[in-house]
Amino acid sequence: MNQYDLVVVGSGPAGRRAAIQAAKLEKKVLVIEKGTRVGGVSVHTGTIPSKTLRETALNLTGWRERGFYGRAYRVKQEISAADLRRRLLITLDHEVDVLEHQFSRNRVSQLRGAAHFIDANTLEVQKEDGEILRVTANAVLLAVGTRPFRPSHIPFDGDCIIDSDEILEIKEVPRSMIVIGAGVIGIEYATIFSALDTAVTVVEPRDSMLDFIDKEIVEDFSYQLRDRNVKLIFGQTVEKVDKDPAGKCHVTLKNGRVLTAEMVLFAAGRVGATDALKLEACGLEADNRGRLKINPDTFQTAVPHIYAAGDVVGFPSLASTSMEQGRIAARHAVGAPTTEPPQFFPYGIYAVPEISTCGLTEEEVQQRNIPYECGIAHFRETSRGHIMGLDSGLLKMIFSLKTRRLLGVHIVGEGATELVHIGQAVLNLKGTVEYFVENTFNYPTLAEAYKIAGLDAWNRMGELKREA
């Protein structure tokens, strides 16, 4: 009864997609989830909550209408933490319901409890009521995700000095906040709270942020943040964090500067949730951040029938890529044929404003010595941008001068994570600048920026010489 074709540990994006894929191939599948509800970090503390919080903040503040009505415009004058949480709980309940239905419909077995290895094919699970079960599997997929990195010198208190999981439980919207870490999570929350009129300071030990994003996009994004008084401090490490008797938080930097705010959010990295799996029993070892090394084509670990997918294998740590990793891993694990994934996938950062990118950055094109040309469009150049009251937003495309093919698309601004898919399709289908010049786009739309950027590049590249 406890023998399975595939046992999946974790029910986040990678785990659930893997389980459903294997079940559709008529395999016996078990999902083990230590949380009280399915969904993993993505549903309960990560992707869905942060994006819901963002949408709630933009709606309640009237952020999108301020281009018309001024910075003082508000939909709701006093926004409380309860206002933010109300919509969040509705969204989470819906997500869990959908997932439970998917598992039930596909006859995926579920087990609540904490799992660890006994040997390479056997897992022991301690259920919520204390009962201990053992299950064996032909193949195992570890999709346990990550948790916030919490260094010992940061005095987390769950109230004023918090990590990125605890931010969803805050009791009040702070008037001032210091965000330690300018990675994706730190920047997303920094800009969301800035939209809520919290005075935000970001501290980052590196000399820049979001280094994998095209530099021109990061420069435009940084300008927008500074324009609305978000303070960005680069090249400084945090020496000490403490709280005074009045409840104010103080952050001391290496150069001696002391920053003060009502709340400190530490968002400098995450670690794989592998420490409780007893990996040594199955012959595996995690790195110093709890991550597992895998074959990027099959997602097999050093033990061939044990797979890993999702955030626990490291970059890019996206819900979208985790789902695809889980699907590929599951197909390989049960002996089904797999296809090579498309070369280019979109990366979305749900900050305010959004950033989304697909393909090569200008810096990567230069490193490869590819002759290229860029086309740029500002959202304010589109009629739709004027209708929406946008005074910012940028779409950039990079084309090869030799083949005229699109090499990369990079967007910062409203709707960037939706718009990027047009560029993604053209990239993977090996389309050229002519696609954007010769095709019709709905008018008025922000997607029209593709034609504007395409024409901008085409004007410098010259017309394609066609044979008679």
Side-chain angles (χ1 to χ4, degrees):
M1 288 295 292
N2 291 337
Q3 171 71 39
Y4 296 89
D5 296 309
L6 178 66
V7 169
V8 179
V9 184
S11 63
R16 70 172 181 260
R17 182 62 63 90
I20 291 168
Q21 172 65 93
K24 287 185 182 296
L25 294 169
E26 300 182 353
K27 303 299 178 181
K28 188 179 180 185
V29 183
L30 171 69
V31 173
I32 303 170
E33 171 56 59
K34 69 177 181 180
T36 54
R37 305 171 84 190
V38 295
V41 168
S42 172
V43 168
H44 298 289
T45 58
T47 306
I48 301 302
S50 62
K51 280 52 175 178
T52 305
L53 182 67
R54 178 186 188 276
E55 194 64 24
T56 306
L58 295 185
N59 285 346
L60 293 180
T61 59
W63 177 269
R64 294 186 175 100
E65 308 301 318
R66 291 184 186 176
F68 283 114
Y69 305 121
R71 294 191 179 190
Y73 177 75
R74 301 287 181 279
V75 170
K76 192 175 191 296
Q77 289 300 322
E78 298 293 330
I79 300 170
S80 67
D83 292 325
L84 301 177
R85 205 157 29 243
R86 191 173 297 115
R87 181 166 174 165
L88 178 62
L89 295 175
I90 295 170
T91 305
L92 298 193
D93 285 344
H94 173 74
E95 286 288 316
V96 169
D97 184 54
V98 168
L99 292 183
E100 292 281 11
H101 179 60
Q102 286 180 337
F103 283 158
S104 174
R105 192 176 69 229
N106 289 284
R107 292 174 172 77
V108 173
S109 300
Q110 296 183 59
L111 189 57
R112 293 285 185 278
H116 65 261
F117 283 98
I118 299 298
D119 58 46
N121 290 89
T122 310
L123 287 153
E124 188 171 270
V125 184
Q126 182 168 352
K127 295 172 65 179
E128 296 166 311
D129 60 6
E131 182 185 358
I132 294 175
L133 294 175
R134 286 193 177 186
V135 297
T136 58
N138 298 332
V140 177
L141 173 66
L142 300 176
V144 293
T146 58
R147 62 174 181 270
F149 174 54
R150 290 170 63 104
S152 57
H153 71 283
I154 304 294
F156 295 97
D157 63 5
D159 182 30
C160 299
I161 304 170
I162 58 176
D163 64 31
S164 56
D165 282 1
E166 294 170 329
I167 198 166
L168 301 170
E169 302 296 328
I170 60 172
K171 299 177 182 66
E172 293 180 0
V173 177
R175 285 179 292 182
S176 56
M177 173 186 282
I178 298 165
V179 178
I180 302 172
V184 173
I185 295 171
I187 286 298
E188 285 185 351
Y189 280 122
T191 57
I192 289 167
F193 277 88
S194 171
L196 288 165
D197 294 320
T198 298
V200 177
T201 301
V202 179
V203 180
E204 169 58 51
R206 295 172 300 176
D207 292 328
S208 59
M209 64 177 173
L210 308 175
D211 292 335
F212 59 95
I213 301 292
D214 187 278
K215 278 189 171 56
E216 189 169 4
I217 297 297
V218 175
E219 286 170 5
D220 186 276
F221 178 72
S222 300
Y223 174 81
Q224 290 190 51
L225 297 196
R226 288 191 168 107
D227 186 53
R228 65 183 207 238
N229 209 28
V230 175
K231 292 180 172 58
L232 302 173
I233 301 174
F234 294 121
Q236 285 297 321
T237 55
V238 172
E239 292 283 292
K240 186 175 70 169
V241 178
D242 56 32
K243 188 168 70 171
D244 65 28
K248 287 281 187 181
C249 300
H250 305 283
V251 174
T252 305
L253 305 183
K254 190 175 182 179
N255 65 0
R257 184 177 177 183
V258 178
L259 308 173
T260 302
E262 288 186 1
M263 186 174 287
V264 173
L265 168 63
F266 186 89
R270 296 179 68 86
V271 295
T274 52
D275 51 339
L277 291 174
K278 297 186 179 178
L279 294 174
E280 64 280 0
C282 68
L284 288 178
E285 186 178 352
D287 68 12
N288 63 346
R289 279 293 180 107
R291 293 169 298 207
L292 295 169
K293 190 176 181 181
I294 47 95
N295 177 331
D297 297 322
T298 64
F299 298 95
Q300 289 171 289
T301 64
V303 180
H305 72 277
I306 300 178
Y307 296 73
D311 288 8
V312 75
V313 304
F315 188 85
S317 298
L318 298 168
S320 55
T321 53
S322 296
M323 289 180 193
E324 189 60 13
Q325 290 171 2
R327 188 187 70 83
I328 293 169
R331 291 187 68 86
H332 193 273
V334 301
T338 59
T339 56
E340 189 175 329
Q343 183 180 0
F344 300 111
F345 61 87
Y347 202 114
I349 300 174
Y350 292 82
V352 183
E354 291 179 357
I355 298 174
S356 200
T357 179
C358 190
L360 301 178
T361 65
E362 188 170 353
E363 293 71 41
E364 288 171 330
V365 171
Q366 291 169 352
Q367 288 166 9
R368 298 184 188 196
N369 294 316
I370 301 172
Y372 71 97
E373 188 54 81
C374 293
I376 287 177
H378 296 275
F379 286 2
R380 63 175 178 268
E381 297 177 84
T382 67
S383 296
R384 181 66 177 175
H386 280 294
I387 291 167
M388 295 170 67
L390 299 180
D391 58 5
S392 62
L394 175 75
L395 185 149
K396 172 181 179 178
M397 290 191 289
I398 306 169
F399 297 95
S400 164
L401 282 175
K402 182 178 178 182
T403 65
R404 302 177 75 86
R405 278 172 49 183
L406 178 64
L407 301 175
V409 56
H410 312 282
I411 313 171
V412 56
E414 183 71 22
T417 55
E418 299 284 352
L419 286 169
V420 75
H421 297 110
I422 298 172
Q424 177 197 2
V426 176
L427 264 169
N428 283 316
L429 294 171
K430 301 179 180 178
T432 67
V433 66
E434 277 69 35
Y435 174 85
F436 302 101
V437 173
E438 296 171 0
N439 274 279
T440 302
F441 290 80
N442 270 339
Y443 175 87
T445 60
L446 290 180
E448 233 193 317
Y450 275 104
K451 180 173 277 290
I452 296 168
L455 284 165
D456 183 43
W458 185 85
N459 286 337
R460 285 188 290 273
M461 294 169 71
E463 188 163 346
L464 176 66
K465 294 177 176 62
R466 304 178 193 270
E467 293 183 8

